[in-house]
Amino acid sequence: MSKFNRRAFLRLSSASVIGVTLGGISLRSYGAEQVDPEDPTAKALKYVHKSEVEGKNCANCTHLQAGDDPQWKPCALFPGKLVNKDGWCSAWMAKA
């Protein structure tokens, strides 16, 4: 029989939970990359980092989501990627 007791089990379990939680937070914050305008989806939606259409940009689009960075934010149209708040694409829709 092994000498693995409850205290050792709880210590190992706690360390595992903490590691997985902190690892997930790190991956989420560093996993997102900026949308490349040459990406096939970006090209199809005519995405640009700097809008040329006055009054229409990612900052006032309904697809833009909250994010930590003031300039680069997640977008519902580009899962796992960040768009420039000054950018624009053909799927732009005014916030209600």
Side-chain angles (χ1 to χ4, degrees):
M1 229 186 210
S2 116
K3 295 275 185 183
F4 196 70
N5 61 26
R6 184 171 45 153
R7 187 173 291 158
F9 173 75
L10 291 174
R11 192 177 358 209
L12 180 63
S13 298
S14 298
S16 297
V17 169
I18 290 170
V20 168
T21 303
L22 292 177
I25 290 170
S26 296
L27 289 175
R28 217 173 311 135
S29 63
Y30 292 110
E33 60 185 50
Q34 297 173 359
V35 172
D36 180 1
E38 296 300 313
D39 177 78
T41 305
K43 274 187 162 185
L45 293 173
K46 300 175 184 164
Y47 173 79
V48 293
H49 289 311
K50 179 75 175 153
S51 176
E52 295 177 7
V53 183
E54 190 171 331
K56 295 182 180 182
N57 55 44
C58 293
N60 60 19
C61 177
T62 192
H63 300 296
L64 193 69
Q65 301 169 342
D68 297 332
D69 189 302
Q71 189 67 32
W72 296 90
K73 307 253 183 220
C75 175
L77 301 174
F78 302 100
K81 306 253 175 142
L82 302 172
V83 296
N84 191 312
K85 72 176 186 73
D86 298 326
W88 178 88
C89 79
S90 62
W92 180 89
M93 187 182 306
K95 285 185 181 179

